[in-house]
Amino acid sequence: AWRVDAPMRQTKYMLERQEIGQNLEGIGGMDVPSVTTKLDAPAAELGIDARVNERFLLHGTTPETVMAILNNGMNERMGGGHFGKGLYLAEDAAKMDQYVTSDTDQNEGLGALHKLLYSSNQMNHPGRVYYAFACRTTLGFPIFSKDGQVDSRAPEQTVFAGPDERELARIPGVEPPMHYNAMVVETGP
């Protein structure tokens, strides 16, 4: 495991988290739904901010994408899938595992990654590696969905603000208008 420190991105994240916190304080008497995950116990040891639904979640990726993430951070404009455009994070390693592919020391085009992670740390490539990121994330005021189309707690509420599935819907009854900060996809009936 490697720890990635990116001071500028961390500062940006902290400012965004602070802004979400201020927005949540400004919504009056409405209760912000709390999100619980399988990773909450270890995350508590790392000083998460529960008032903004800050959590640690997992992101699995391909070896070809690791250097871009290390150099530029994660970019919600680059991701997309069954539940719209955005970053996909999971509480369960088994779910995240569906998105990773193996890196062997023979993979072409990964010389810079291998040098950064292995050679520069006086390590040998172990032969077969899968990459995942443990991400500190702020979920803020989430919308919950089972199908990525409607709110599972209020089926008359659509998840997205528009057909491009990029921006989440506005939170009903909140003035000034505020969009949901995250979508939590629920499983089961």
Side-chain angles (χ1 to χ4, degrees):
W2 298 268
R3 180 183 171 130
V4 177
D5 287 317
M8 294 299 288
R9 285 196 295 274
Q10 185 172 0
T11 298
K12 181 179 175 183
Y13 171 78
M14 299 301 267
L15 290 170
E16 291 282 341
R17 184 180 73 177
Q18 181 180 0
E19 181 179 14
I20 289 172
Q22 289 172 344
N23 289 342
L24 293 178
E25 289 171 5
I27 63 173
M30 188 176 289
D31 289 331
V32 176
S34 181
V35 177
T36 58
T37 75
K38 296 175 182 179
L39 302 173
D40 286 351
E45 299 294 320
L46 299 171
I48 61 166
D49 185 350
R51 70 184 179 88
V52 293
N53 274 321
E54 186 174 39
R55 301 290 181 263
F56 272 89
L57 295 170
L58 306 171
H59 178 78
T61 192
T62 63
E64 294 78 15
T65 309
V66 172
M67 282 300 284
I69 292 172
L70 292 174
N71 288 321
N72 305 307
M74 293 192 181
N75 186 336
E76 72 278 359
R77 294 179 301 271
M78 303 301 285
H82 184 70
F83 298 101
K85 296 171 177 66
L87 295 177
Y88 283 67
L89 303 168
E91 66 177 322
D92 194 330
K95 181 64 180 171
M96 173 223 44
D97 187 49
Q98 297 174 18
Y99 302 94
V100 300
T101 58
S102 68
D103 170 19
T104 67
D105 57 355
Q106 305 302 312
N107 285 37
E108 290 187 32
L110 297 178
L113 175 65
H114 294 167
K115 182 178 179 182
L116 176 69
L117 297 181
Y118 304 106
S119 303
S120 66
N121 291 302
Q122 291 77 45
M123 296 171 53
N124 291 324
H125 190 290
R128 191 169 176 182
V129 180
Y130 297 87
Y131 297 103
F133 291 86
C135 306
R136 182 183 289 255
T137 186
T138 299
L139 300 175
F141 199 121
I143 188 167
F144 297 84
S145 183
K146 292 185 179 193
D147 63 3
Q149 299 302 310
V150 297
D151 184 338
S152 59
R153 298 173 183 195
E156 70 283 356
Q157 170 72 44
T158 59
V159 169
F160 292 102
D164 66 348
E165 297 185 340
R166 184 164 300 283
E167 183 76 32
L168 293 172
R170 289 182 179 172
I171 303 167
V174 173
E175 291 296 332
M178 184 175 125
H179 291 266
Y180 289 99
N181 302 111
M183 181 190 335
V184 175
V185 177
E186 301 174 304
T187 59

